Amino acid sequence: MTTWSQFNASDPALAASIAALLHQYGPGMAYLATVRPDGGPRLHPVSPVITDEGLYCFVVDSPKRRDLERDGRYALHSYPSEEVDDEAYLTGVAVPVLDVPLVRRLASTYDAAPHGNWKLFEFTVETAMLATYRSRGGWPPEYRTWRALESAKLADRVQ
């Protein structure tokens, strides 16, 4: 599994562009797709947190959290922008964070309700995609895609 920090080290320009779209309204805002028990998709808005260490999300007790606890696969898509049609998309596996000092530090830094019924998940990155449009509605966009498997194969060849 590839962490956000590993993805960022592998392609810092793409990671910065995706982070900018996720934070275009200030705090992180995105749509989170999870897998329901029947295999269908579930979509909810969330507030992802990007740090030097990783990509995280505080998830309250809800159907989406139960989805992540049962089947960690996710897709995260940026909110639409008012100015441009650019979009960011990530896929991977959400993993519960068990490091108590890290959970406390992030909860304090990002004002997570101290007694809220939330769990912190780290979102690994398997695929990252950025679509950039020349103008509003200017089709087709230019796509930049990063895949963890391709990055690992390239690193093996370089060594």
Side-chain angles (χ1 to χ4, degrees), residues 77 84-87 129-144:
H77 194 284
V84 297
D85 290 334
D86 295 356
E87 53 191 311
M129 188 272 306
L130 176 70
T132 307
Y133 294 79
R134 290 182 302 279
S135 62
R136 185 92 183 169
W139 189 262
E142 176 184 326
Y143 290 102
R144 289 187 54 211

Side-chain angles (χ1 to χ4, degrees), residues 17-34:
S17 295
I18 289 173
L21 280 172
L22 292 176
H23 287 274
Q24 65 186 314
Y25 296 105
M29 296 176 71
Y31 293 106
L32 172 65
T34 59

Side-chain angles (χ1 to χ4, degrees), residues 32-44 63-68 70-75:
L32 172 65
T34 59
V35 181
R36 295 187 324 229
D38 67 2
R42 186 185 316 273
L43 187 67
H44 289 278
K64 70 180 164 230
R65 184 168 101 191
R66 288 186 288 282
D67 290 346
L68 292 175
R70 187 191 71 264
D71 180 338
R73 291 177 295 167
Y74 80 90

Side-chain angles (χ1 to χ4, degrees), residues 15-154:
S17 295
I18 289 173
L21 280 172
L22 292 176
H23 287 274
Q24 65 186 314
Y25 296 105
M29 296 176 71
Y31 293 106
L32 172 65
T34 59
V35 181
R36 295 187 324 229
D38 67 2
R42 186 185 316 273
L43 187 67
H44 289 278
V46 293
S47 295
V49 171
I50 298 173
T51 72
D52 290 340
E53 301 156 293
L55 170 61
Y56 302 96
C57 193
F58 294 95
V59 183
V60 297
D61 188 19
S62 62
K64 70 180 164 230
R65 184 168 101 191
R66 288 186 288 282
D67 290 346
L68 292 175
E69 290 170 334
R70 187 191 71 264
D71 180 338
R73 291 177 295 167
Y74 80 90
L76 196 67
H77 194 284
S78 61
Y79 271 31
S81 173
E82 293 179 11
E83 276 92 52
V84 297
D85 290 334
D86 295 356
E87 53 191 311
Y89 170 80
L90 299 163
T91 66
V93 176
V95 180
V97 177
L98 303 176
D99 179 342
V100 174
L102 175 62
V103 171
R104 285 186 181 144
R105 184 169 46 80
L106 292 177
S108 174
T109 301
Y110 293 97
D111 295 324
H115 301 291
N117 189 9
W118 50 258
K119 286 187 181 176
L120 182 65
F121 288 84
E122 180 175 8
F123 291 175
T124 66
V125 182
E126 291 178 3
T127 303
M129 188 272 306
L130 176 70
T132 307
Y133 294 79
R134 290 182 302 279
S135 62
R136 185 92 183 169
W139 189 262
E142 176 184 326
Y143 290 102
R144 289 187 54 211
T145 304
W146 179 92
R147 290 183 177 82
L149 290 177
E150 291 173 6
S151 178
K153 288 176 188 175
L154 179 60

